[in-house]
Amino acid sequence: MFGRERIEIKTPEQVVAMRRAGLLTHAALESARAALRPGITTRELDAVAAEVIRAGGGTSNFLGYHGYPATLCISVNHVVVHGIPGDQVLAEGDVVSIDGGAVVDGWHGDSAFTAIVGEPADPADVELVETTRRALWAGIAALDRRGRVGDVGAAVEDAVDGRFAIVDGYTGHGIGTAMHMAPEVLNHRARERGPKVRPGLCLAVEPMCTRGGVETDVLADEWTVVTSDGSRAAHWEHTVAVLEEGLWVLTAPDGGASELGPLGVRVPQE
Ligand code: MF3
Ligand code: CO
């Protein structure tokens, strides 16, 4: 997809500028998380996040992207990604993936999480969400080895360990002066190991897993991606910068320290 484009390498100063977009992205997603409850509509959650981005002096990178009509993607149960906020009323036990991003001073953030509304309907939903979350952090941690971008997918695949299906055909991406840039970041092991990991590389890592198969379909709205077998899905994403001193997860409030420290990865203090 982005195979022939050159990779945008950031200076340390540019990474600091991207951190502002990352923190506003985090604040927007947290506001939606805090509002998540049975009875709320996905449109209401979208409005909450939109206001946080506006008040923080940013803009949404999703709104208007190839005509996308909202600030967030809200993907419920068998919807994997790119669910459009609307009249859907959330219910206890729903598995809800919320994806969003902010642009500040021309720099982009992109992040997603999956949460369960109220009491889980099935312990397997909890396991799906947690496994996908751990796969995200394993994928991020793999960047600290300064090998190849393909190490991310290998680490994601190892972390999922066959317990859930890794969605086919959707990937992470480079990020910076645009939301989607080179290189592609696969969520599975591949023969092509990808470009070298080096300081200044900024990536959005975003594993997507399902309780069923790897196949998806896009609905008639040309956005909503659903599992072909109707199984539930989860999606986690962070924007991360590779630095000389270690890794900095720009969309995590602590820069990733609490998750990456135990994995033996250095996260520089701000
Ligand atoms: N944030 C998504 C991704 O993770 C892209 C959303 S597409 C949009 O790459 F149109 F909704 F913006
Ligand atoms: Co993304």
Side-chain angles (χ1 to χ4, degrees):
M1 192 185 194
F2 318 106
R4 278 179 290 275
E5 288 172 44
R6 68 172 268 278
I7 293 171
E8 182 181 82
I9 293 295
K10 283 74 167 173
T11 66
E13 293 72 27
Q14 289 172 327
V15 173
V16 168
M18 275 185 75
R19 172 63 162 164
R20 291 196 285 276
L23 285 176
L24 187 55
T25 298
H26 168 76
L29 291 183
E30 267 317 296
S31 72
R33 189 203 294 270
L36 201 59
R37 55 177 165 73
I40 197 162
T41 66
T42 53
R43 181 181 285 108
E44 288 172 300
L45 293 178
D46 193 70
V48 166
E51 173 54 22
V52 169
I53 293 174
R54 191 204 60 76
T59 56
S60 164
N61 39 18
F62 286 28
L63 185 65
Y65 180 83
H66 294 284
Y68 187 74
T71 295
L72 300 177
C73 295
I74 305 183
S75 306
V76 184
N77 294 334
H78 69 298
V79 181
V80 183
V81 287
H82 304 170
I84 301 173
D87 296 327
Q88 182 169 13
V89 178
L90 295 179
E92 187 101 0
D94 279 345
V95 175
V96 184
S97 298
I98 300 186
D99 188 356
V103 187
V104 177
D105 296 331
W107 295 99
H108 288 246
D110 188 5
S111 182
F113 67 90
T114 302
I116 296 173
V117 181
E119 281 301 308
D122 185 334
D125 287 341
V126 180
E127 208 203 323
L128 169 73
V129 172
E130 268 310 292
T131 300
T132 310
R133 194 184 70 81
R134 279 199 305 276
L136 166 66
W137 286 104
I140 291 170
L143 292 167
D144 197 47
R145 293 200 296 272
R146 305 282 186 86
R148 299 272 177 173
V149 170
D151 297 346
V152 173
V156 166
E157 187 174 319
D158 290 346
V160 175
D161 198 24
R163 279 171 293 164
F164 296 98
I166 299 172
V167 171
D168 210 14
Y170 293 87
T171 69
H173 47 92
I175 182 167
T177 54
M179 174 166 59
H180 289 150
M181 309 183 85
E184 269 188 320
V185 183
L186 301 184
N187 290 314
H188 57 81
R189 197 171 260 108
R191 192 197 305 255
E192 181 61 57
R193 295 194 55 228
K196 285 204 168 106
V197 174
R198 58 189 177 104
L201 179 69
C202 294
L203 300 177
V205 178
E206 50 178 317
M208 290 149 260
C209 295
T210 88
R211 287 179 54 188
V214 302
E215 273 173 51
T216 58
D217 300 293
V218 179
L219 298 188
D221 63 19
E222 295 185 351
W223 283 104
T224 311
V225 178
V226 299
T227 56
S228 300
D229 57 11
S231 63
R232 290 180 165 198
H235 174 213
W236 285 82
E237 177 175 18
H238 272 304
T239 297
V240 54
V242 179
L243 305 177
E244 295 283 358
E245 306 83 20
L247 300 180
W248 196 11
V249 182
L250 302 175
T251 46
D254 69 350
S258 59
E259 296 286 343
L260 294 177
L263 300 176
V265 176
R266 299 150 304 153
V267 177
Q269 298 300 304
E270 283 187 54

